[in-house]
């Protein structure tokens, strides 16, 4: 015999699924905006609905040149974040004196 969800469990499940779907939508918008700042677009980027109550974003495929450019942009961003983190740590240690 299959277990039937109670009304409260169904509502809770739907709320989790709705939140996961919205998380996916937000992630797509954020990634599209970040790619646009770098002059890049992924045409097949989309929200693929909730999977196990988590947002799921389909990135799609791209050619090698695009993948290499995306890698450059990510590496540059990572370097900038690392530099800013080091700068913040240095600033915090100086400001504590």
């Amino acid at each position: 015999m299959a277990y039937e969800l109670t009304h409260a469990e169904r509502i809770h499940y739907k709320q989790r699924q709705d939140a996961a779907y919205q998380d996916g939508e937000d992630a797509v918008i954020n990634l599209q905006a970040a790619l646009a700042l770098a002059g890049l677009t992924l045409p097949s980027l989309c929200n693929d609905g909730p999977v196990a109550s988590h947002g799921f974003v389909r990135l799609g495929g791209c050619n090698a040149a695009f993948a290499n450019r995306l890698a450059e942009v990510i590496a540059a961003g990572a370097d900038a974040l690392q530099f800013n983190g080091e700068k913040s740590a240095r600033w915090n240690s100086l400001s504590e004196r």
Side-chain angles (χ1 to χ4, degrees), residues 57-88:
V57 175
R58 185 167 304 275
L59 300 176
C62 64
N63 64 34
F66 182 91
N68 286 324
R69 178 68 182 126
L70 184 56
E72 289 173 9
V73 169
I74 291 170
D79 286 344
L81 287 173
Q82 186 177 24
F83 175 76
N84 285 338
E86 289 172 5
K87 191 166 81 172
S88 294

Side-chain angles (χ1 to χ4, degrees), residues 24-77:
E25 284 291 306
D26 294 344
V28 167
I29 290 167
N30 291 337
L31 187 52
Q32 285 173 330
L35 288 167
L37 290 172
L40 302 171
T41 57
L42 279 171
S44 51
L45 177 65
C46 65
N47 182 2
D48 207 14
V51 174
S53 296
H54 296 282
F56 190 81
V57 175
R58 185 167 304 275
L59 300 176
C62 64
N63 64 34
F66 182 91
N68 286 324
R69 178 68 182 126
L70 184 56
E72 289 173 9
V73 169
I74 291 170

Side-chain angles (χ1 to χ4, degrees), residues 11-34:
I11 289 172
H12 181 67
Y13 176 79
K14 176 148 179 25
Q15 288 171 337
R16 284 193 343 240
Q17 292 295 92
D18 290 347
Y21 183 84
Q22 189 59 51
D23 289 345
E25 284 291 306
D26 294 344
V28 167
I29 290 167
N30 291 337
L31 187 52
Q32 285 173 330

